Amino acid sequence: MTISIPRVQDPELSSFPELDPAPGNRLLSITVQVLNSGDVTFTPDVDDNAWLTDTRGVRYGSDPVMSAALQAFPVTALEPDWSLQRVLVFEVGADTHLDILHIRHEADTATWPLDTTR
């Protein structure tokens, strides 16, 4: 499996009614591209295995209801050389300084640094 992050939108500004942060919070979305670079069909599990950490080490999981509102397609089994995108929505404090995106697959966890200028 090969994962890339083609887009981070902070703050997330889509106008779906499901995307309504609590007062004092903001939403951000991260688009995750998953490519089956192997030779066995599998179903990607990034929706359930992604989280953010801020500069203090606090962990934020994606919101399944808000994330589902932005999906173009449901999760499907990926044949070799197929890919799909998942949009993950996270709710964090308005002044939270995010640091790292983590995605776990089986025993491995990959990380991507995030812009912490906010």
Side-chain angles (χ1 to χ4, degrees):
M1 173 170 70
T2 303
I3 296 176
S4 60
I5 309 300
R7 182 173 187 213
V8 175
Q9 187 172 350
D10 184 8
E12 168 58 54
L13 299 174
S14 299
S15 59
F16 292 90
E18 297 89 349
L19 301 178
D20 188 22
N25 286 351
R26 75 179 194 274
L27 302 178
L28 71 139
S29 66
I30 299 177
T31 302
V32 178
Q33 178 86 25
V34 181
L35 168 67
N36 183 349
S37 53
D39 56 8
V40 176
T41 300
F42 74 93
T43 302
D45 56 359
V46 296
D47 296 50
D48 298 326
N49 291 300
W51 68 95
L52 301 174
T53 52
D54 66 16
T55 54
R56 298 171 301 151
V58 176
R59 182 177 172 152
Y60 303 88
S62 64
D63 184 289
V65 172
M66 291 190 222
S67 295
L70 295 183
Q71 301 310 326
F73 301 101
V75 173
T76 185
L78 289 180
E79 299 289 336
D81 297 322
W82 287 15
S83 68
L84 64 74
Q85 287 189 346
R86 306 302 294 160
V87 179
L88 306 176
V89 177
F90 299 86
E91 183 170 358
V92 300
D95 297 324
T96 299
H97 296 276
L98 296 169
D99 192 26
I100 299 172
L101 167 66
H102 309 259
I103 298 177
R104 184 181 67 239
H105 179 69
E106 297 178 355
D108 297 321
T109 300
T111 60
W112 291 264
L114 298 173
D115 182 3
T116 58
T117 59
R118 184 171 176 75

